[in-house]
Amino acid sequence: MQVACLLVADFLVALARRDDPSLRGQPVIVGGSPEEHAAVVACSPEAVAAGVGIGTTLRRALALCPKAVFLPHREGVAAEAAGALLDLLRLYSPAVEAIAPGHAHLDIHGLAEMARMDDAAYLRDLQESAENASGLPVSLAAADTVFAAHAAATVQARGAMLVHAGEARAFLGRLPVEVLPVSPLMHQRLRLFGLNWLGQVAELTFSAMQAQFGREGARAWELANGRDDARIVPRPEEVRVSEELELPAPAALSEPLIAGTRALLLRALEHREIKGHSLRRLDWRLGLESGEQLGRRCVFREPTNDAARMLFALQPKIERLQLPAAAVSVGVTLSGLCSEYGHQANLWQVGPRRHRELLEAVEQLNTRVGGPQVFRIVEVQGWSRIPERQLGMVAFGP
Amino acid sequence: MVANSGTAAGDGRFRPLNEPSPAAVEATPRGAPKAMLWRGTYRRVVAVHDTWRIDDEWWRDEIARRYFVVELEGGRRLTIFHDLVRDLWYQQAYDAPKAGAPMGRKRAG
């Protein structure tokens, strides 16, 4: 076996049910409350059966599934849980590719032998470790190709599955066409042609599939026949810095939370790993007396390492919070490291004093070397088809 | 783009930009480039991605050029042209003229 796929189906819903087991069996919709002008981010199969889908407005979702439980989208909590799963997988494999929160591919070639285990036992061990560490239902499947591993992980709710070498085509043949990574429209078209299983797609000729369905059809045929040259592309580990503090007394107002967040940001920005760098992302979390965790995420339009700017972006989100219980702890995680530290200003768009200094510097250079040395590019005959006539250089100066 | 400063022209105050530079190109009998001297080594042209011709200023110093966007061995892409009047080859970056040009580029059939 070469590749494993770890999948937590309906990750956000599974996360909510882990934190509140009473939600099991009930239709759950994640995205906010129905009064908000927002869309469904994730929903449980019970809600899907009622007609709710990702992207449905929350109001419409309420109309379709009035008994659903509506939950806010806790980005920070989801990111932390997804990150913890990836960290666990990196203990098992050197090449882990995160596809989506709760969905990852990992290269496991030779790892079972190194651990002196057979393949099935190795997979079971990894699957149980992931479930125990995360508290989420984990489906883990391994095969020789990425698609076969992913398809196998998709068809089971939890557990470990191994698709043996040489059995992939037969295994895939029994799967519905919905496992193919093509557009939903393509799935519909396949069904309309009576192609319900991958085995039926594999029996057709390549030219027929390509002629009828184009590039997607060619890809579907290759995958149905077990031909997949996709490789794991691990992304470099992201640098993340976290700071936490316990509040001296439970707080229900925003002022102590903001003050605590300011102190945390200043402390986090002093970390050696990120000092001198700008950052794009801030994950903020709040621990409540009830044991619940709230989180908010800020992604900055321009990278920054200024605590005041970060707090300026985060403060409205803190002030809008309606806490179900008093807060006892605050935490921040900074990530999205950039090498950019500042902006390159336009040399020519400076104030009058700087402009005079610039002219003086240019005159000094021209006198020292002899002749104009600094030029501006100007348009001469922008409409000309002869390239050397389009632009020219004019000596910079008064 | 910088607005015209109104500076008086003088010696060395105006210089052309994007002047073509001579290139050593080996061509087929039909005029397509097949190899080019690049950084001291003749490299084979593995693909011609685009070709077009410009003809201009026939009333004074005639300009007739056939341009090629070529890809050399190793993946480097260059724009070169064959000066059909002087039968010489040059290398030059090419940007499409701005809207309002009198005639569009004529592509080879």
Side-chain angles (χ1 to χ4, degrees), chain A residues 348 372-373 375-380 382-398, chain B residues 1-2 7 12-18 20 54-57 63 65 67 92-95 97-98 101 103:
Chain A
W348 311 111
Q373 299 301 310
F375 293 81
R376 297 189 210 226
I377 295 175
V378 296
E379 189 176 287
V380 179
W383 43 262
S384 174
R385 289 177 300 151
I386 303 163
E388 62 266 31
R389 304 273 175 88
Q390 292 169 353
L391 301 171
M393 294 195 292
V394 170
F396 177 79
Chain B
M1 197 58 64
V2 177
T7 312
R13 295 196 71 82
F14 178 85
R15 292 185 189 178
L17 192 65
N18 197 17
I54 62 172
D55 294 89
D56 214 335
E57 300 192 355
I63 290 174
R65 300 174 180 176
Y67 279 86
Q92 183 183 48
Y94 188 92
D95 281 322
K98 288 195 169 180
M103 275 187 287

Side-chain angles (χ1 to χ4, degrees), chain B residues 20-99:
Chain B
S21 54
V25 176
E26 206 177 297
T28 65
R30 296 192 66 180
K34 61 179 184 182
M36 179 178 168
L37 187 69
W38 176 255
R39 295 194 178 160
T41 313
Y42 260 98
R43 292 179 197 265
R44 194 170 55 87
V45 171
V46 298
V48 176
H49 292 284
D50 200 359
T51 178
W52 65 95
R53 178 171 169 153
I54 62 172
D55 294 89
D56 214 335
E57 300 192 355
W58 50 266
W59 61 95
R60 49 181 188 189
D61 194 7
E62 185 187 1
I63 290 174
R65 300 174 180 176
R66 178 165 283 287
Y67 279 86
F68 301 86
V69 176
V70 298
E71 183 175 336
L72 304 180
E73 275 177 316
R76 180 166 290 274
R77 279 204 191 194
L78 298 168
T79 304
I80 59 176
F81 70 84
H82 184 203
D83 186 332
L84 300 170
V85 174
R86 296 174 189 83
D87 191 23
L88 293 171
W89 287 85
Y90 295 88
Q91 183 193 336
Q92 183 183 48
Y94 188 92
D95 281 322
K98 288 195 169 180

Side-chain angles (χ1 to χ4, degrees), chain A residues 71-238:
Chain A
L71 300 170
H73 182 197
R74 302 179 296 166
E75 290 181 54
V77 173
E80 202 172 322
L85 257 181
L86 288 177
D87 289 341
L88 173 78
L89 292 178
R90 287 191 187 108
L91 296 175
Y92 280 81
S93 167
V96 177
E97 182 182 359
I99 309 298
H103 181 191
H105 295 156
L106 52 157
D107 190 333
I108 55 170
H109 179 58
L111 296 181
E113 286 158 16
M114 272 176 56
R116 297 181 194 276
M117 297 166 86
D118 65 72
D119 294 345
Y122 182 83
L123 280 182
R124 266 197 311 274
D125 180 58
L126 175 52
Q127 189 266 339
E128 284 166 6
S129 299
E131 275 206 351
N132 293 338
S134 63
L136 298 167
V138 168
S139 167
L140 182 72
D144 280 342
T145 63
V146 172
F147 172 65
H150 174 76
T154 309
V155 297
Q156 58 174 10
R158 64 197 302 176
M161 185 193 298
L162 173 61
V163 180
H164 293 280
E167 294 177 2
R169 195 160 184 266
F171 169 77
L172 292 172
R174 298 189 293 270
L175 300 183
V177 293
E178 277 73 20
V179 302
L180 287 168
V182 293
S183 62
L185 182 62
M186 174 73 174
H187 291 145
Q188 278 180 22
R189 291 182 68 199
L190 287 170
R191 291 271 179 188
L192 285 172
F193 274 87
L195 299 170
N196 302 313
W197 310 101
L198 289 188
Q200 292 173 299
V201 173
E203 282 167 9
L204 297 172
T205 61
F206 176 80
S207 54
M209 281 294 292
Q210 188 178 40
Q212 184 61 49
F213 299 107
R215 199 179 300 175
E216 277 194 315
R219 180 86 179 121
W221 185 90
E222 284 172 351
L223 293 176
N225 279 280
R227 296 185 198 180
D228 178 22
D229 56 3
R231 292 289 173 262
I232 307 288
V233 182
R235 288 195 196 112
E237 252 181 79
E238 198 183 9

Side-chain angles (χ1 to χ4, degrees), chain A residues 278-332:
Chain A
S278 298
L279 298 123
R280 278 206 184 271
R281 195 163 56 235
L282 162 63
D283 287 299
W284 179 85
R285 55 196 170 277
L286 204 60
L288 305 181
E289 260 185 326
S290 57
E292 209 181 320
Q293 281 238 332
L294 289 181
R296 290 292 182 270
R297 169 171 279 188
C298 277
V299 180
F300 308 112
R301 207 178 332 154
E302 291 176 1
T304 180
N305 64 354
D306 181 356
R309 285 186 63 190
M310 291 181 182
L311 196 58
F312 181 77
L314 181 61
Q315 190 163 329
K317 297 190 182 202
I318 299 177
E319 287 168 351
R320 275 201 301 267
L321 275 178
Q322 290 181 356
L323 301 180
V328 294
S329 69
V330 184
V332 296

